[in-house]
Amino acid sequence: MPAIHEHGGVALALDGIAEVRALAAEYASRGAAGLVSGAEPYALILADPARGALVLARNGDGPPLYYAETAGGVLAASEPGALLAAGVPAEPDEGMVARFIATGACDDTAATFYAGIRRVLPGEVVEIAGGTRTRKPVAARDGAGRFARSVLDAAIGRGRIGVRFGHGLAGAAAVGAALTGPEGRRTLTVYSASFPGLTTAHATHSLLPPLREVLVRMRGELAGALLDPLLPGARRPSWDALAALFGGGQVEAGAVFRRYMVERWLRTLSPARPARRPQRTFEAEAKAGGAQWTRVPLSTEVFSAGDKLPEKVAWYVSECLAGLGRKAYRRARWHVLLAARPVAVVQGRVRPVWEIRPGAAARALHRWARPAAGLHDPWTAQVVVERVGPLRAAVGPAAVHGVRGPRPGGVAVVLPPEEPARVAADVLAALRTALPEEAYATLGGCAVVGAAGVAGVAGELDAALAAELCEDDPLATHPIAVVLSGSPARKGERRNGPARSSRTAGRK
């Protein structure tokens, strides 16, 4: 808002075209209703210390004006972001969000998407005095805004107006959602660099593709947002919508896209919302096989299909040992633990949810199976049913069958790796080349560990010992762990991962 003006014992901030003295005089003679008059659009904030009142008003279709009532008083601003920056909690108004998803309606009432923030409507006066709120709507006038909308509607109807986008589909989807309203769908010409893979699009220009086709094209981003929704109570509706969209069933595309928009918005709220599924933690020190061990988890880059897994694992392990120093490995056996998930990813044993069609048995299991069954979603249930049949899927947890569902933010179901013992042996062979001779001499073995437990071992590491070392799932958030005998001293007391030094920097 512009600078504050003082006149007649009141302070007034104005955004728009109006005479401050005249407005102050109208307020003195007619009260709050006098602040809305004339044909020019404006918004104002008036403070009246004598009455202990704050008055907010928008004349006609004046600039936006939002306010929030807090323990310290009333805050007002031209945009919600300013109120959030001032400390207003960024909590969603669940009723407004649900209404928007269902109907697409928004910005037509005093409520906003934020529970603690309200808006002043066009032609409305809001007076807050002594804890009492008074809203005084003024009859809308046929102004320039309505005339501009009628001209826009006419231009769209005659094909005289279009929108140009660069690469990407989100903007086109937004236009598609906006043009679906109470008046029905309107055709808008879209000029685009390209819509790869869309049958209705051309390189130069095209009509807006069907919104459902756009959503299917952006399926990865859509699934990433809706598989683990932040909106309370939205998990089942989101999953049902995704299953219908990917499976060719009946679905209201506009509602799906609006649900996606809400999830994207919720992820931008500040402060950050807590994770829905707290990550498991484990102690670095563990007792297994009657001995004491130290487990060092390693963070890595993301593994991809076709990666040379043994060589990459060997590099990370050798870097870890270089950072820990010779004392960490020269006095006793040490081992390598490898999570089954990256092995399956490299082998291409990952199925995105849009490639899975949950059948009746999977849907029933997902809805009625015990929580311990691990069938958290219909896609995981379908993969388990395909592997072991509905009866075994209902009795044993999904983890027993080696299947892991999508993680938070993930979009795929991961199957158990193929030939895990051979993979473990390949890792040992790669370590023979990557490690110093004295480090390899004390290397015991390698185990591939998955959702069902130890999947395969190689070397002198016993499967039972590997299972004990992984009882608290140290590979839940890290793909590799180095297991050292005892509690060796480490450079700089690094207990959460390897030092990021060169391979030779830690050697003596």
Side-chain angles (χ1 to χ4, degrees):
M1 300 290 289
I4 296 177
H5 304 272
E6 294 187 13
H7 186 80
V10 299
L12 191 150
L14 177 72
D15 185 5
I17 304 173
E19 173 56 48
V20 174
R21 290 178 177 272
L23 288 174
E26 286 291 324
Y27 174 74
S29 62
R30 298 172 50 202
L35 296 175
V36 179
S37 62
E40 299 294 344
Y42 57 82
L44 64 84
I45 302 173
L46 182 145
D48 187 345
R51 295 180 54 235
L54 180 71
V55 183
L56 312 173
R58 287 178 66 189
N59 192 51
D61 196 11
L65 188 56
Y66 298 86
Y67 67 96
E69 298 179 59
T70 69
V74 180
L75 302 175
S78 59
E79 59 183 29
L83 298 178
L84 298 177
V88 176
E91 290 297 324
D93 185 318
E94 295 181 16
M96 277 299 299
V97 170
R99 177 173 176 257
F100 169 71
I101 291 174
T103 67
C106 62
D107 292 344
D108 58 343
T109 69
T112 72
F113 282 175
Y114 297 97
I117 299 177
R118 291 294 178 263
R119 73 165 50 82
V120 181
L121 298 176
E124 184 180 49
V125 176
V126 178
E127 185 174 12
I128 304 172
T132 302
R133 292 169 227 86
T134 304
R135 308 187 74 94
K136 300 177 181 179
V138 178
R141 293 180 295 278
D142 189 8
R146 182 176 300 177
F147 174 74
R149 286 192 295 272
S150 65
V151 171
L152 179 62
D153 289 341
I156 292 175
R158 295 170 187 170
R160 296 179 179 177
I161 194 168
V163 176
R164 178 177 176 81
F165 293 106
H167 292 277
L169 300 171
V175 173
L179 294 181
T180 304
E183 302 84 7
R185 188 174 181 83
R186 294 174 291 175
T187 300
L188 176 66
T189 301
V190 176
Y191 297 88
S192 167
S194 66
F195 286 105
L198 294 180
T199 58
T200 57
H202 303 285
T204 306
H205 66 278
S206 70
L207 294 180
L208 186 70
L211 182 56
R212 178 168 185 151
E213 191 174 350
V214 174
L215 293 177
V216 171
R217 181 63 179 169
M218 55 185 290
R219 57 185 178 264
E221 190 174 355
L222 192 71
L226 298 186
L227 280 177
D228 191 43
L230 297 180
L231 184 66
R235 176 168 293 183
R236 189 168 300 282
S238 296
W239 287 357
D240 289 344
L242 285 179
L245 178 69
F246 298 149
Q250 293 291 328
V251 65
E252 208 282 281
V256 176
F257 181 70
R258 291 191 293 270
R259 190 176 292 279
Y260 163 74
M261 293 174 65
V262 167
E263 290 298 328
R264 288 291 300 271
W265 168 67
L266 288 173
R267 283 160 171 76
T268 67
L269 294 185
S270 178
R273 295 167 66 86
R276 299 178 69 90
R277 300 177 189 170
Q279 294 181 345
R280 298 181 63 178
T281 58
F282 72 99
E283 297 294 332
E285 308 298 327
K287 190 172 183 179
Q292 194 72 19
W293 301 87
T294 297
R295 300 170 300 180
V296 183
L298 310 186
S299 297
T300 71
E301 64 181 10
V302 176
F303 289 86
S304 303
D307 279 351
K308 295 181 178 180
L309 181 72
E311 290 80 358
K312 294 184 74 169
V313 173
W315 186 87
Y316 282 109
V317 172
S318 62
E319 286 288 293
C320 171
L321 295 184
L324 296 175
R326 295 169 58 194
K327 290 182 179 180
Y329 57 77
R330 70 178 182 180
R331 59 181 176 176
R333 289 290 185 190
W334 61 281
H335 309 287
V336 175
L337 302 178
L338 176 61
R341 178 181 285 266
V343 178
V345 169
V346 170
Q347 293 177 345
R349 294 180 59 77
V350 175
R351 295 181 62 184
V353 294
W354 51 83
E355 295 180 359
I356 304 170
R357 301 290 183 266
R363 293 195 299 270
L365 283 173
H366 160 59
R367 290 180 181 273
W368 306 112
R370 297 173 297 109
L375 306 177
H376 300 295
D377 59 84
W379 300 278
T380 302
Q382 177 62 30
V383 173
V384 176
V385 167
E386 291 174 4
R387 286 184 57 80
V388 300
L391 292 180
R392 289 183 61 192
V395 175
V400 170
H401 310 301
V403 178
R404 282 191 183 271
R407 291 179 173 179
V411 298
V413 178
V414 181
L415 283 73
E418 293 182 322
E419 301 185 77
R422 180 185 59 79
V423 173
D426 290 343
V427 169
L428 291 183
L431 285 168
R432 184 181 187 91
T433 302
L435 293 176
E437 184 175 344
E438 62 177 344
Y440 184 78
T442 56
L443 172 60
C446 174
V448 176
V449 183
V454 177
V457 294
E460 299 178 14
L461 175 58
D462 182 70
L465 175 60
E468 279 193 77
L469 289 169
C470 295
E471 278 187 352
D472 54 351
D473 204 3
L475 300 175
T477 56
H478 295 80
I480 309 169
V482 172
V483 182
L484 305 166
S485 178
S487 302
R490 305 176 190 173
K491 294 181 178 181
E493 292 297 319
R494 294 184 177 91
R495 294 188 176 271
N496 293 322
R500 282 310 198 194
S501 60
S502 68
R503 240 183 248 192
T504 57
R507 297 177 184 169
K508 297 180 182 178

